[in-house]
Amino acid sequence: MKIPRLYVEGEKNDEGKKVVIENEGKVIRFLDEGEEYKGEGKVLYQVVYDDFDKYILLSKLTRDMLIQYPDKRTMTYLKKGTELLQIPAEGYKVYPIVDFGCRVLEGHRLAALESRKGDIRFVNTPVTGTVIFLKEVPAKRANYVFYILPEK
């Protein structure tokens, strides 16, 4: 499974890649290694994708971020203050059905939950949107949290 790249504003990283966002996200420019930027745009630095939830406080983003999906053509630019919906999926065994970057419709199945008895239940999304992040929470029972960007 390939993992997307996450770029965050203000997280300076000398080794990672950099992206410049100009004109409120209408222009996205990837900088070459060692290239410096002098302009009015925002510089975003690459961070570890698993640290995504570190930049969320009360379901709102605390910094601007850009997610570049593994196909290297699809990107999502999220501004500071964007509200994300968090949907937990917990059971004896959890089988995610959708992956990050997938667009889901209201009532679409996100995950299948298996109980100890072998009963299968499903977690459905209450809104139409895009799955931005899928986090596996370490615990005795399988536990996932889906972060969804709702459409307006």
Side-chain angles (χ1 to χ4, degrees):
M1 176 173 94
K2 293 188 177 186
I3 297 174
R5 291 184 178 170
L6 177 64
Y7 299 90
V8 177
E9 179 184 24
E11 284 291 323
K12 294 196 177 187
N13 185 355
D14 296 333
E15 300 172 6
K17 298 180 180 182
K18 297 183 247 179
V19 176
V20 173
I21 305 292
E22 297 174 337
N23 297 337
E24 297 295 319
K26 294 179 182 167
V27 177
I28 298 172
R29 198 174 104 203
F30 289 85
L31 298 177
D32 292 329
E33 200 169 312
E35 182 180 352
E36 293 297 320
Y37 175 74
K38 295 185 184 349
E40 296 180 16
K42 296 179 184 179
V43 179
L44 281 65
Y45 299 88
Q46 185 176 357
V47 296
V48 177
Y49 188 72
D50 287 341
D51 291 343
F52 179 86
D53 60 336
K54 191 167 91 173
Y55 306 107
I56 294 178
L57 181 64
L58 299 173
S59 298
K60 291 190 178 185
L61 294 176
T62 58
R63 299 180 182 189
D64 286 11
M65 59 178 59
L66 176 82
I67 300 171
Q68 182 184 24
Y69 296 104
D71 65 1
K72 307 247 181 181
R73 294 176 294 170
T74 311
M75 292 176 255
T76 303
Y77 175 59
L78 302 168
K79 294 183 182 180
K80 178 180 178 180
T82 302
E83 194 163 337
L84 298 176
L85 182 63
Q86 298 177 24
I87 302 174
E90 182 179 348
Y92 180 66
K93 291 184 182 177
V94 178
Y95 304 100
I97 296 172
V98 297
D99 206 0
F100 36 71
C102 292
R103 184 174 179 266
V104 291
L105 301 175
E106 184 177 343
H108 190 94
R109 293 178 175 170
L110 294 176
L113 308 176
E114 184 180 347
S115 68
R116 284 185 183 255
K117 293 180 180 179
D119 296 338
I120 303 286
R121 294 179 297 127
F122 295 97
V123 175
N124 298 329
T125 178
V127 296
T128 298
T130 305
V131 177
I132 298 294
F133 183 67
L134 173 61
K135 176 184 174 185
E136 184 176 0
V137 179
K140 286 184 178 180
R141 297 179 64 170
N143 192 357
Y144 286 84
V145 178
F146 293 85
Y147 291 86
I148 296 180
L149 176 64
E151 292 180 2
K152 295 186 179 184

